[in-house]
Amino acid sequence: MNDVSRGGSPVHRRSKAGHRWEGVDCLPYKEDEQARFKAISRQVLFSDPVLAAELRFFEVAPGGFSSLERHQHAHAVLVLHGHGQCLIGREVRRLEPHDLVTVPPWTWHQFRAASDASLGFLCMVNVDRDRPQLPSQEDLTDLQADPSIAAFLGALSHDGVDRVEDTKSKETRGLDLVTSRRDGRRFFGKRPRS
Amino acid sequence: MNDVSRGGSPVHRRSKAGHRWEGVDCLPYKEDEQARFKAISRQVLFSDPVLAAELRFFEVAPGGFSSLERHQHAHAVLVLHGHGQCLIGREVRRLEPHDLVTVPPWTWHQFRAASDASLGFLCMVNVDRDRPQLPSQEDLTDLQADPSIAAFLGALSHDGVDRVEDTKSKETRGLDLVTSRRDGRRFFGKRPRS
């Protein structure tokens, strides 16, 4: 038995310049015309059958942001570099390197890089997790009633929602972003046959 | 419902100077006379009932080192700062900031800071995990037969084992470091009644 790797995955992967790693694919998000400056990439640092959680690294370019969403599973976030802000529930917080952020279940959240700095953060999540839920117009109206949240969301598109998701992710592979006719919520799923 | 915290745990904990965090206890390891310079502290950054894994931060002072051990559960390590080396199985690797290290199940491993620099690393582990196993004299003899491993272990005590463990840890709380009369292995358990 080779002690040093298993399943072809080496035990030591060196850091490279620009917050990249040996043997780790960098998965870009598509740019969305309606959600300007959404410039975010994802790298899965640890994903292993013997681990109950994954550790991912997200890099948000200046002015970029992650999806505004919520879900049953929690996030455990550590800022690795840069500056920005996050919305967690109804709190907007400024983020500095090595800050910790907990996203509890069913809590609206979004991460945004500063306009003049990138934001790179680690995010730990359970391997078994549910799909994100996107806000309905009613949810957005409710959030935007708070001036600090409205300001946080201000640079977003008209409805604050990023419409183009990373379809390479485990959660969304092969799924469409669907709007429910019942309650207006958007989620990842199979588009109903017409 | 308060969106911002649950169970008294705030969603945002700021980084402080010296690789510390707001609201995170720093748990020192005891110094061991037989294992000089073992100077390592532990901070549990994320531990939550809804998370299947924990994220801890270990800070090893210059010349310090973690226990040489193995277990069924795996480690997912990201170096946050500093320099040092690790032994993973039979490989000795130099560590730089942001390097990734996977410790597969049942693989001997130890992390050592450089003599002139500290080593700080994040370690993700499953919440449900087994207790570490320490090397027997036979295991050590086998490891030390490799010159690079012998050099790596060289600064350790005569048998390469740290005898004083952090008894505050979840795994070892209330347990003693016991040496098996059968095979010489040491493990955490209840000391046999004499």
Side-chain angles (χ1 to χ4, degrees), chain A residues 79-160:
Chain A
V79 177
L80 207 56
H81 74 89
H83 299 281
Q85 289 184 305
C86 65
L87 171 68
I88 309 294
R90 294 182 173 276
E91 290 281 322
V92 175
R93 299 294 180 94
R94 176 166 170 76
L95 297 177
E96 303 288 345
H98 293 186
D99 279 7
L100 307 175
V101 178
T102 301
V103 179
W106 295 119
T107 304
W108 294 117
H109 59 282
Q110 185 175 62
F111 292 83
R112 299 179 62 89
S115 60
D116 58 352
S118 59
L119 177 69
F121 59 89
L122 300 167
C123 180
M124 182 174 79
V125 289
N126 292 353
V127 170
D128 294 325
R129 57 186 183 271
D130 61 325
R131 294 172 185 156
Q133 183 185 81
L134 302 181
S136 66
Q137 189 56 54
E138 186 179 353
D139 294 324
L140 285 169
T141 301
D142 179 53
L143 287 167
Q144 289 170 332
D146 183 314
S148 65
I149 298 176
F152 176 87
L153 296 173
L156 292 177
S157 60
H158 69 289
D159 62 359

Side-chain angles (χ1 to χ4, degrees), chain B:
Chain B
M1 174 183 150
N2 182 355
D3 272 337
V4 182
S5 69
R6 37 194 288 281
S9 177
V11 296
H12 181 211
R13 290 166 291 163
R14 291 182 182 81
S15 171
K16 301 194 295 184
H19 300 101
R20 298 289 172 86
W21 287 268
E22 290 178 349
V24 177
D25 291 333
C26 186
L27 308 169
Y29 272 66
K30 291 178 182 174
E31 296 284 340
D32 180 357
E33 293 168 11
Q34 293 186 39
R36 293 162 301 159
F37 306 117
K38 179 182 192 299
I40 178 167
S41 66
R42 188 187 50 168
Q43 295 175 81
V44 180
L45 304 186
F46 292 101
S47 180
D48 190 298
V50 299
L51 292 170
E54 294 183 344
L55 192 67
R56 301 92 49 86
F57 176 71
F58 294 91
E59 170 99 9
V60 191
F65 49 87
S66 65
S67 296
L68 176 62
E69 62 183 39
R70 67 179 182 180
H71 33 66
Q72 196 280 324
H73 65 273
H75 285 316
V77 166
L78 185 147
V79 176
L80 208 55
H81 74 89
H83 299 280
Q85 289 184 305
C86 66
L87 172 69
I88 309 294
R90 295 183 172 274
E91 289 282 323
V92 175
R93 298 294 180 96
R94 176 166 170 76
L95 297 177
E96 303 289 345
H98 294 185
D99 278 7
L100 307 175
V101 178
T102 300
V103 180
W106 295 118
T107 303
W108 294 116
H109 59 282
Q110 185 174 61
F111 291 83
R112 300 180 61 90
S115 60
D116 59 352
S118 59
L119 178 69
F121 60 89
L122 300 167
C123 180
M124 183 173 77
V125 288
N126 292 353
V127 170
D128 294 324
R129 56 186 185 270
D130 61 325
R131 294 173 185 155
Q133 183 186 82
L134 302 181
S136 67
Q137 188 56 56
E138 187 179 353
D139 293 324
L140 285 168
T141 301
D142 179 52
L143 286 168
Q144 289 170 331
D146 182 316
S148 64
I149 298 175
F152 175 88
L153 296 173
L156 292 176
S157 59
H158 69 289
D159 62 359
V161 172
D162 163 42
R163 293 184 178 281
V164 176
E165 300 296 320
D166 176 7
T167 56
K168 293 176 184 169
S169 76
K170 181 179 177 182
E171 297 93 329
T172 61
R173 191 176 294 125
L175 300 175
D176 299 307
L177 185 54
V178 179
T179 301
S180 164
R181 291 182 186 168
R182 184 170 56 81
D183 60 9
R185 291 196 188 283
R186 275 165 290 186
F187 55 92
F188 295 104
K190 289 294 182 190
R191 196 181 301 274
R193 293 162 188 267
S194 58

Side-chain angles (χ1 to χ4, degrees), chain A residues 12-185:
Chain A
H12 181 212
R13 289 166 292 163
R14 290 181 182 83
S15 171
K16 301 194 295 184
H19 300 101
R20 298 290 172 87
W21 285 269
E22 288 178 351
V24 177
D25 290 332
C26 186
L27 307 169
Y29 272 68
K30 291 178 183 174
E31 297 285 338
D32 180 356
E33 292 168 13
Q34 293 184 41
R36 291 164 302 160
F37 304 117
K38 179 181 191 297
I40 177 167
S41 66
R42 187 187 52 168
Q43 294 174 82
V44 180
L45 305 184
F46 292 101
S47 180
D48 191 297
V50 299
L51 292 171
E54 293 182 346
L55 191 67
R56 299 93 49 85
F57 176 71
F58 294 90
E59 170 99 8
V60 191
F65 49 86
S66 66
S67 295
L68 176 61
E69 62 182 38
R70 69 180 182 180
H71 33 66
Q72 196 280 325
H73 65 272
H75 286 315
V77 167
L78 185 148
V79 177
L80 207 56
H81 74 89
H83 299 281
Q85 289 184 305
C86 65
L87 171 68
I88 309 294
R90 294 182 173 276
E91 290 281 322
V92 175
R93 299 294 180 94
R94 176 166 170 76
L95 297 177
E96 303 288 345
H98 293 186
D99 279 7
L100 307 175
V101 178
T102 301
V103 179
W106 295 119
T107 304
W108 294 117
H109 59 282
Q110 185 175 62
F111 292 83
R112 299 179 62 89
S115 60
D116 58 352
S118 59
L119 177 69
F121 59 89
L122 300 167
C123 180
M124 182 174 79
V125 289
N126 292 353
V127 170
D128 294 325
R129 57 186 183 271
D130 61 325
R131 294 172 185 156
Q133 183 185 81
L134 302 181
S136 66
Q137 189 56 54
E138 186 179 353
D139 294 324
L140 285 169
T141 301
D142 179 53
L143 287 167
Q144 289 170 332
D146 183 314
S148 65
I149 298 176
F152 176 87
L153 296 173
L156 292 177
S157 60
H158 69 289
D159 62 359
V161 172
D162 163 42
R163 293 183 179 281
V164 177
E165 301 297 320
D166 177 5
T167 56
K168 292 176 185 170
S169 75
K170 182 178 176 185
E171 297 93 329
T172 61
R173 192 176 294 124
L175 301 175
D176 299 308
L177 184 55
V178 178
T179 301
S180 165
R181 292 182 185 167
R182 184 170 56 80
D183 61 8
R185 290 195 188 286

